Amino acid sequence: MFHSFSPYEEKMTTPIIYIGAFLQLDQEKRNHLLSLFSQKLKKEYLHHITLSFRPKKHEISMINFGQEIEVEVTGIAEDQQAQVLECSLPKNVYCNNERPHITVATNGETPPKYSNQLLKLNTLPLSEPISIKAKIGYWNGKDILYRRP
């Protein structure tokens, strides 16, 4: 039996673990974001917004690699397992995540993907958004790259 696949649903063979908006934070901004939380958790992340995990070819074609953007942090959620910042992206930035966010930290046992669930449970809006700079690239399991794969 012959089965044809749409080229848009084909997985990439390039080793892209995820496409992300990688944060460009100085120490002052990093400290400010960490100060929003009531406690310090064991494993800190605070380095990117995942735009697409294990992206397909059609998703990669929609990404402007190397683009520098302004991200607005609009909300916060935390519990004993994780801390997360909800974000708003510029309209021209593709993201397949229902609620773009930055995983700030976990307790060391909870996987970062728990942030998606935590945002649905208990997100508090910030009184004023916090603007941060980010650059679009991808993680190949070894390095962050900002050029088209």
Side-chain angles (χ1 to χ4, degrees):
M1 179 181 189
F2 177 78
H3 184 78
S4 68
F5 292 92
S6 164
Y8 295 109
E9 295 307 314
E10 211 175 300
K11 292 241 182 210
M12 272 298 291
T13 56
T14 308
I16 296 177
I17 309 299
Y18 63 85
I19 296 170
F22 294 90
L23 309 180
Q24 312 291 299
L25 298 174
D26 60 23
Q27 195 59 49
E28 184 179 342
K29 183 72 80 161
R30 175 180 283 287
N31 290 343
H32 176 65
L33 293 172
L34 290 171
S35 76
L36 299 173
F37 297 95
S38 64
Q39 62 185 324
K40 180 170 174 47
L41 293 181
K42 187 175 182 177
K43 184 162 173 99
E44 187 179 305
Y45 292 93
L46 190 56
H47 54 72
H48 74 278
I49 299 167
T50 301
L51 302 176
S52 181
F53 185 76
R54 301 270 187 218
K56 296 182 176 167
K57 285 184 181 182
H58 78 278
E59 292 175 304
I60 293 168
S61 71
M62 294 189 286
I63 301 296
N64 186 4
F65 291 96
Q67 179 183 7
E68 295 183 0
I69 62 172
E70 289 280 331
V71 174
E72 296 290 322
V73 176
T74 58
I76 182 173
E78 79 175 308
D79 63 13
Q80 297 299 316
Q81 295 174 279
Q83 298 168 328
V84 61
L85 297 168
E86 186 169 39
C87 299
S88 174
L89 298 169
K91 298 280 185 227
N92 67 338
V93 174
Y94 171 81
C95 181
N96 72 2
N97 209 332
E98 183 182 332
R99 294 176 80 168
H101 64 274
I102 301 163
T103 299
V104 174
T106 69
N107 61 8
E109 298 170 15
T110 303
K113 70 179 182 179
Y114 171 72
S115 293
N116 292 299
Q117 185 179 345
L118 181 57
L119 283 170
K120 292 176 183 175
L121 297 174
N122 188 23
T123 302
L124 300 172
L126 294 179
S127 58
E128 193 173 309
I130 300 170
S131 182
I132 57 177
K133 294 182 185 309
K135 188 172 182 179
I136 298 177
Y138 67 93
W139 172 252
N140 66 7
K142 182 181 170 189
D143 298 304
I144 299 169
L145 301 168
Y146 297 105
R147 60 173 162 63
R148 183 160 294 285

